[in-house]
Amino acid sequence: MRSDSIRVVPLGSAIGATIDGIDLAAPLGAEAVALIRETLFDRGVVFFHDQSLTPEQHIAFAGQFAPININRFFRAAEGYPAIAEVRKEPDQAKNIGGGWHTDHSYDQVPALGSVLLARELPPRGGDTLFASMYAAYDALSDGLKATLEGLRAVHSSRHVFGPKARGEAHADGRYRNADQAVQDAVHPVVIRHPGSGRKALYVNPGFTLRFEGWTEEESRGLLDFLYRHAQRPEFQWREGSVAFWDNRATWHYAANDYQGERRLMHRITLGGVPLA
């Protein structure tokens, strides 16, 4: 695929693409925006390497795709409330995002996705992995697909960010505003992606509690099966990289394999639409 000097290179068979020949620091033309959006909705996550962005340029790039969703739980980059810091210092044992999840599934209107910029990376490790929920759905049996079509699931932020949640990131200030973690949301277990029209599995280990109308105990067996089924990691980070992923079509996982080193990422999250 080419659009003038822009080249799209698919990564794995199920997920991911790199987009070369584009400078994210400059305003994009309508054709480039359309190509990135189309690739994002098709491949789930797109990567741009060797980028050098100021915070202002990071914000400007993200804002060309959707309104920015200010994260209420993460510490913001100083002077830039639109940018959430995903930080781990050398003396901190646990990282942020160290488990498969989908950002903001606990919101009534979940985020479209996020634009993550690598600011500081450890010499080794610190990769972010991705899994396709299109592929996860497609690989299910017809019988299980039919069962899931009628189900909705309850998602929540309370157990991760709320007052009763306790952990290192709460104690050291990386997580904030615990009193705002009061919202539960209910979404279809199988969604039709609003950009691509494809069906995707929409539950995740980070924020999904149970199926609507089921107890947590009743839900656990089927949810655990779906979680094991869906874990297909794909990509490793390079310093200076930008990842733009679609929260409706992917899970992601920040590997915590760099103890004693610093990792600092800047993340901008984009507002989405109701899911059906």
Side-chain angles (χ1 to χ4, degrees), residues 17 59 67 74 120 141 145 177 202 249 257:
I59 292 168
F74 286 20
E120 295 183 42
S141 68
K145 287 178 181 176
N177 300 320
Y202 196 74
D257 57 353

Side-chain angles (χ1 to χ4, degrees), residues 8 32 36 55 83-85 135 138 170 177 185 195 215 229 241 248 251:
V8 178
I36 294 170
I83 300 176
E85 278 194 353
D138 290 342
H170 294 83
N177 300 320
T215 67
H229 168 78
S241 291
R248 290 84 53 93
W251 286 356

Side-chain angles (χ1 to χ4, degrees), residues 40-41 44-45 69 101-105 110-115 130-131 133 191 193 200-204 207 244-252 267-272 275:
L40 176 71
F41 291 168
V45 56
N69 181 325
H101 65 286
T102 298
D103 295 335
H104 289 248
S105 72
L112 180 156
S114 294
V115 182
F130 294 87
M133 294 303 103
I191 64 167
H193 189 282
L201 190 63
Y202 196 74
V203 291
N204 70 90
F207 299 111
F244 185 2
W245 69 81
D246 187 325
N247 276 311
R248 290 84 53 93
T250 62
W251 286 356
H252 58 283
R267 193 186 84 185
I268 295 177
T269 299
L270 298 176
L275 299 179

Side-chain angles (χ1 to χ4, degrees), residues 141-163:
S141 68
D142 289 343
L144 187 49
K145 287 178 181 176
T147 298
L148 297 178
E149 288 283 351
L151 295 179
R152 293 162 61 84
V154 179
H155 302 244
S156 180
S157 62
R158 300 171 192 265
H159 60 292
V160 179
F161 301 118

